[in-house]
């Protein structure tokens, strides 16, 4: 009756101390890291991949699918499936994509409602795609995520729309 659930730190890739391995995504692809609006990359607990950067999402997709495909796991738990704070998501590629989508230029404000919704959508859309791919591979896989219990904080500051994720059924449990 023992189940094995893989646990991954989805977007957090390092604490405030950078990893030493040159093979780590931190060193191989520093261009995938999120930034605050001042260009700082070490935010809150450390360094995060930016969910608004398609190549960062592809990196995470490969990690997840490696686990799902090559290991006999019963579940997958997404930890840190969020931005570190409201003032994050300013990776140049992400901002360029946002601006192109809305016909804008420059950096939006951290609390800009449209930019907030866009960042929230980056995570939600990626989770939707991941759920479909994981279920195609392992239909009985349980999918869970660590989320902020305070709905307002999760939604407005971390861009976790866990209520929507649960309503859609792309999470089996939200912890």
């Amino acid at each position: 009756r023992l189940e094995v659930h893989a646990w991954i730190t989805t977007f957090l890739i390092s604490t405030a101390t950078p990893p030493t391995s040159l093979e780590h995504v931190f060193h191989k692809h520093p261009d995938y890291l999120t930034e605050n609006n001042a260009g700082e990359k070490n935010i809150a607990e450390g360094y995060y991949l930016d969910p608004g950067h398609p190549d960062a999402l592809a990196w995470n997709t490969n990690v997840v699918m490696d686990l799902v495909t090559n290991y006999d796991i019963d579940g997958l738990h997404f930890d840190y499936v969020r931005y570190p704070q409201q003032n994050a998501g300013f990776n140049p590629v992400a901002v360029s994509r946002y601006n192109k989508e809305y016909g804008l230029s420059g950096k939006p404000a951290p609390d800009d409602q449209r930019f907030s919704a866009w960042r929230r959508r980056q995570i939600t859309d990626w989770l939707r795609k991941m759920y479909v791919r994981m279920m195609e591979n392992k239909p009985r896989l349980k999918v869970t995520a660590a989320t902020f219990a305070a709905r307002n904080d999760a939604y407005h500051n971390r861009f976790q729309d866990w209520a929507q994720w649960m309503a859609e059924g792309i999470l089996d449990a939200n912890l």
Side-chain angles (χ1 to χ4, degrees):
R1 294 189 183 146
L2 181 67
E3 289 186 3
V4 176
H5 291 237
W7 170 81
I8 65 167
T9 55
T10 313
F11 293 109
L12 176 68
I13 59 163
S14 177
T15 61
T17 303
T20 56
S21 171
L22 297 180
E23 293 302 307
H24 195 282
V25 66
F26 177 89
H27 294 291
K28 289 185 96 162
H29 298 286
D31 53 312
Y32 294 177
L33 298 176
T34 197
E35 301 175 8
N36 64 20
N37 65 346
E40 297 165 335
K41 295 179 181 179
N42 184 354
I43 305 170
E45 20 323 72
Y47 297 91
Y48 281 72
L49 295 178
D50 196 305
H53 193 304
D55 293 337
L57 294 177
W59 180 276
N60 268 350
T61 297
N62 290 338
V63 169
V64 170
M65 293 313 297
D66 179 61
L67 290 167
V68 170
T69 305
N70 296 315
Y71 296 90
D72 186 17
I73 58 174
D74 301 293
L76 193 127
H77 180 73
F78 292 109
D79 199 356
Y80 293 93
V81 61
R82 60 180 175 82
Y83 285 85
Q85 62 189 25
Q86 190 179 63
N87 187 4
F90 290 90
N91 174 288
V93 170
V95 171
S96 175
R97 289 182 61 235
Y98 168 76
N99 284 338
K100 184 177 180 183
E101 185 173 327
Y102 291 102
L104 302 170
S105 62
K107 284 185 184 178
D111 62 351
D112 179 281
Q113 292 305 305
R114 187 168 27 189
F115 187 49
S116 295
W118 187 86
R119 288 176 285 180
R120 201 173 295 113
R121 184 167 38 96
Q122 302 315 297
I123 296 172
T124 299
D125 286 351
W126 182 77
L127 278 175
R128 285 180 183 127
K129 291 174 189 169
M130 290 314 309
Y131 187 81
V132 169
R133 290 196 59 191
M134 290 185 294
M135 291 305 113
E136 287 172 348
N137 231 282
K138 283 194 174 145
R140 291 191 171 93
L141 190 75
K142 294 174 184 162
V143 181
T144 61
T147 57
F148 274 70
R151 176 86 171 110
N152 190 52
D153 184 27
Y155 190 82
H156 294 288
N157 299 322
R158 317 302 175 154
F159 309 110
Q160 289 182 320
D161 194 358
W162 55 256
Q164 181 66 35
W165 304 344
M166 293 298 293
E168 286 185 31
I170 59 175
L171 284 185
D172 295 306
N174 135 43
L175 312 166

